[in-house]
């Protein structure tokens, strides 16, 4: 893997990045809160990207841990978003609690650009994020991409393959219900 990016260094994202680093991964990180990203970078000796486009230029796998589908869509397709610079064959892994319908739409839009979207929302809360024991519900339409990212995800918890794209988000919604 050429480079791993991680966007969203919040309550859940920060401990997830720590889990990745404990397993030997060194993600390039980005957060809308530059101070949070800088603090994480200093603490874990990681590089901070100056923009989403910089993450896309450098990385071929990008993990997102963001508040909702709208923000995920903006980060991927908005002005200055990842899709402007991610290369063909790149993989975006949405670990946020996103809307399954919006996930399918985003997957179709990214696919037109040669970018694979996988959904991998988590269950277990902060305690399990810190411990690296999250339940991760992986959905996707590209088995090779799923095989490629599963070892990364296993750094943060137990992976359960839920089915096609958006099945992870649908399973998470049912789990929460």
């Amino acid at each position: 893997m050429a480079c791993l990016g991680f966007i969203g260094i919040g309550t859940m994202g920060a401990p997830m990045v720590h889990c990745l680093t404990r397993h030997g991964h060194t993600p390039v990180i980005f957060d809308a809160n530059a101070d949070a990203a800088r603090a994480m970078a200093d603490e874990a000796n990681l590089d901070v990207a100056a923009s989403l486009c910089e993450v896309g230029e450098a990385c071929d796998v990008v993990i997102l841990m963001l508040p909702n589908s709208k923000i995920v869509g903006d980060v991927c397709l908005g002005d200055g978003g990842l899709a402007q610079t991610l290369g063909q064959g790149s993989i975006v892994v949405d670990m946020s609690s996103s809307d399954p319908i919006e996930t399918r739409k985003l997957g179709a839009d990214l696919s037109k650009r040669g970018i694979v979207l996988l959904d991998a929302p988590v269950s277990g809360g902060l305690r399990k994020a810190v411990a690296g024991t999250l339940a991760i519900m992986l959905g996707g339409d590209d088995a090779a991409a799923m095989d490629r990212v599963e070892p990364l995800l296993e750094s943060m918890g137990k992976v359960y393959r839920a089915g096609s794209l958006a099945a992870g988000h649908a399973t998470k919604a049912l789990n929460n219900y």
Side-chain angles (χ1 to χ4, degrees):
M1 178 173 321
C3 176
L4 170 64
F6 196 105
I7 298 171
I9 312 301
T11 302
M12 291 293 287
M16 292 166 72
V17 168
H18 280 297
C19 288
L20 287 165
T21 61
R22 280 196 306 264
H23 286 88
H25 306 290
T26 54
V28 172
I29 60 173
F30 180 83
D31 196 278
N33 178 342
D35 292 337
R38 175 54 45 212
M40 168 64 68
D42 291 345
E43 181 181 332
N45 195 29
L46 298 173
D47 291 330
V48 177
S51 67
L52 295 170
C53 284
E54 190 175 300
V55 175
E57 288 169 353
C59 300
D60 60 346
V61 174
V62 180
I63 295 173
L64 309 177
M65 181 46 108
L66 300 167
N68 58 51
S69 296
K70 178 172 181 355
I71 295 170
V72 169
D74 289 346
V75 162
C76 290
L77 298 174
D79 188 32
L82 289 171
Q84 291 181 323
T85 54
L86 278 172
Q88 288 210 356
S90 295
I91 303 168
V92 174
V93 183
D94 180 14
M95 298 190 79
S96 316
S97 293
S98 295
D99 178 299
I101 294 168
E102 293 303 315
T103 298
R104 300 283 296 162
K105 290 178 188 174
L106 179 59
D109 288 340
L110 290 175
S111 180
K112 292 174 190 169
R113 294 169 166 86
I115 301 165
V116 175
L117 177 65
L118 303 175
D119 60 310
V122 302
S123 181
L126 180 58
R127 182 176 56 81
K128 290 195 174 197
V130 170
T133 58
L134 291 164
I136 302 168
M137 296 150 269
L138 178 60
D141 296 329
D142 185 320
M146 293 170 80
D147 291 343
R148 185 170 173 206
V149 303
E150 193 164 351
L152 292 170
L153 300 178
E154 288 172 341
S155 299
M156 298 175 277
K158 173 87 171 122
V159 177
Y160 301 91
R161 290 204 181 193
S164 63
L165 182 62
H169 285 138
T171 302
K172 167 73 184 234
L174 290 169
N175 181 58
N176 285 353
Y177 181 70

